[in-house]
């Protein structure tokens, strides 16, 4: 269970980032990229997350807009430093006891 208050404090001032990290599908894609980095194509992400390719494209566009992932033609998607740091901070915050 995600502690929404902790996450809100972590992402204070960024409602769009908050919505990204609170959405399970967005988080699954970020975790997958973190685990499989570098450079994964959307087909592999769709297969690994059991989401449609169209949904993965939508998620990746959102993540790109937040500068959490980047796309390189011919290579695929990878996490940016901001994406990896944000995911790490989210994970640490949510798993605090």
């Amino acid at each position: 269970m995600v502690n929404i208050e902790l996450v809100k404090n972590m992402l204070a001032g960024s409602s769009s980032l908050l919505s990204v990290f609170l959405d399970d599908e967005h988080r699954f894609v970020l975790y997958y990229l973190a685990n499989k980095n570098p450079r994964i194509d959307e087909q592999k992400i769709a297969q690994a997350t059991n989401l449609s390719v169209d949904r993965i494209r939508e998620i990746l566009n959102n993540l790109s807009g937040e500068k959490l992932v980047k796309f390189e033609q011919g290579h695929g998607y990878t996490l940016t430093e901001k994406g990896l740091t944000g995911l790490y901070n989210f994970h640490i915050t949510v798993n605090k006891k």
Side-chain angles (χ1 to χ4, degrees), residues 40-96:
I40 305 296
D41 68 41
E42 52 199 33
Q43 288 284 69
K44 288 180 184 173
I45 299 169
Q47 290 171 345
T49 58
N50 294 318
L51 297 171
S52 71
V53 174
D54 288 339
R55 180 66 181 135
I56 291 299
R57 285 183 185 133
E58 181 182 332
I59 290 169
L60 289 169
N61 282 333
N62 291 341
L63 297 174
S64 288
E66 295 294 336
K67 309 264 189 274
L68 300 174
V69 301
K70 67 178 178 178
F71 177 76
E72 292 181 43
Q73 190 68 33
H75 296 287
Y77 288 87
T78 189
L79 281 177
T80 62
E81 184 176 331
K82 179 181 178 181
L84 189 57
T85 301
L87 186 61
Y88 174 80
N89 288 336
F90 175 84
H91 186 80
I92 294 300
T93 301
V94 168
N95 291 300
K96 278 185 179 177

